Amino acid sequence: MQPNAQRSQVYSLDPARFPDLNLAGTGEVGVAGYFMDHAVNCKDLPVRTVCSSTCYRAETDTGRETWGLYRVHHFNKVEMFGVTADETGEESSQLLEEFVSLQKEMFSALELHYRVLDMPTQELGPPAYRKYDIEAWMPGRNSYGEISSASNCTDYQSRRLNILYEREDGSLQYAHTVNATACAIPRMIISILETHQTKDGSVHVPQVLQPYLGLEVIEKPKYSPLKYIGPNQHSRPPRPGSNTR
């Protein structure tokens, strides 16, 4: 399962010890694998699952936005994954809309300024029959940035992973699969902090998060207790000169 990713974006383990073993770029891979070579009883469809997983992507090797949180090679993400029947052809489309409605509900509760894009065919990877991207306004970038997506893959994945469902008469049919990102942690942090930061540097905590954080406002620190001075940053402070004695 490589959703139209460049091979250079995939982390491979030592081929001498682990032939053809890679690090997953999304939780969708593992959850889809959970259903591999299994038939779901039609009475339980649609199956809705969610997982929290670590994801690995060699995106920073592409030379695009190598600093900051927007493109990182190691991050956590909450992923939604669904398995539906294919009797009318509308089951997976309905689940896709349900997942998108959940995404919109979450991002609205976080008081983000976002937009939903119905992606054109040239923007779809091989697995996707239909795909939505959700972008939030990020003032630090002065542009929208993708924070989530949702895809209806119909039977693309199920045929390759042998995911079926069992009808009431006992016959088997290939299922449809749907996936959607609930929360990609780094970009969610960017969106929340930049959307709710004020001119004095403090951050208003969205009301839905206040019970968890125990704060209404995050005050701007008076100083930086630890400051990164390594090479991977937008602007590097001058280095100290040599100390001659």
Side-chain angles (χ1 to χ4, degrees):
M1 285 182 54
Q2 291 194 45
N4 203 29
Q6 297 294 326
R7 190 67 188 173
S8 62
Q9 290 183 321
V10 179
Y11 277 114
S12 299
L13 301 187
D14 185 355
R17 298 179 58 196
F18 307 100
D20 200 29
L21 190 60
N22 308 306
L23 299 180
T26 172
E28 172 194 349
V29 176
V31 182
Y34 174 82
F35 291 95
M36 180 178 176
D37 292 329
H38 283 76
V40 183
N41 192 289
C42 65
K43 295 180 181 178
D44 292 327
L45 295 175
V47 177
R48 305 173 182 86
T49 66
V50 64
C51 78
S52 176
S53 70
T54 302
C55 305
Y56 303 89
R57 300 182 187 180
E59 289 194 279
T60 54
D61 291 342
T62 63
R64 299 170 57 194
E65 299 165 307
T66 55
W67 60 279
L69 286 176
Y70 191 76
R71 293 191 187 275
V72 292
H73 56 79
H74 174 193
F75 62 97
N76 284 3
K77 183 172 69 152
V78 179
E79 184 80 7
M80 299 183 287
F81 186 84
V83 179
T84 77
D86 179 26
E87 297 297 320
T88 67
E90 294 298 321
E91 292 92 344
S92 56
S93 296
Q94 292 171 1
L95 186 59
L96 177 66
E97 296 300 328
E98 180 181 329
F99 280 176
V100 172
S101 69
L102 288 172
Q103 292 171 317
K104 292 164 66 176
E105 181 180 337
M106 287 185 287
F107 301 146
S108 295
L110 292 171
E111 304 169 30
L112 302 180
H113 183 72
Y114 67 90
R115 63 185 183 184
V116 181
L117 307 178
D118 191 351
M119 303 306 289
T121 54
Q122 67 267 27
E123 294 291 335
L124 303 181
Y129 166 77
R130 191 174 188 182
K131 179 174 179 278
Y132 292 105
D133 277 358
I134 299 181
E135 297 180 338
W137 178 255
M138 299 179 180
R141 294 166 55 85
N142 196 32
S143 66
Y144 283 92
E146 181 185 341
I147 59 171
S148 185
S149 65
S151 300
N152 180 3
C153 297
T154 63
D155 60 357
Y156 183 99
Q157 294 171 333
S158 62
R159 288 183 179 273
R160 286 154 179 79
L161 295 173
N162 199 32
I163 303 173
L164 301 99
Y165 67 93
E166 184 180 12
R167 293 177 167 133
E168 292 185 358
D169 61 5
S171 62
L172 298 177
Q173 173 69 20
Y174 283 110
H176 281 190
T177 60
V178 180
N179 65 81
T181 301
C183 178
I185 305 299
R187 295 190 182 184
M188 191 58 59
I189 292 175
I190 295 173
S191 303
I192 293 173
L193 290 181
E194 293 190 356
T195 298
H196 298 290
Q197 190 174 38
T198 62
K199 290 183 178 180
D200 64 5
S202 62
V203 178
H204 288 288
V205 179
Q207 188 173 2
V208 71
L209 295 182
Q210 291 177 11
Y212 304 98
L213 201 58
L215 294 171
E216 293 184 5
V217 177
I218 300 174
E219 300 292 345
K220 180 182 178 180
K222 299 294 189 295
Y223 65 95
S224 299
L226 189 65
K227 185 175 182 179
Y228 176 71
I229 58 171
N232 188 21
Q233 56 183 322
H234 185 49
S235 59
R236 192 177 183 185
R239 313 303 296 169
S242 59
N243 187 11
T244 58
R245 295 184 180 181

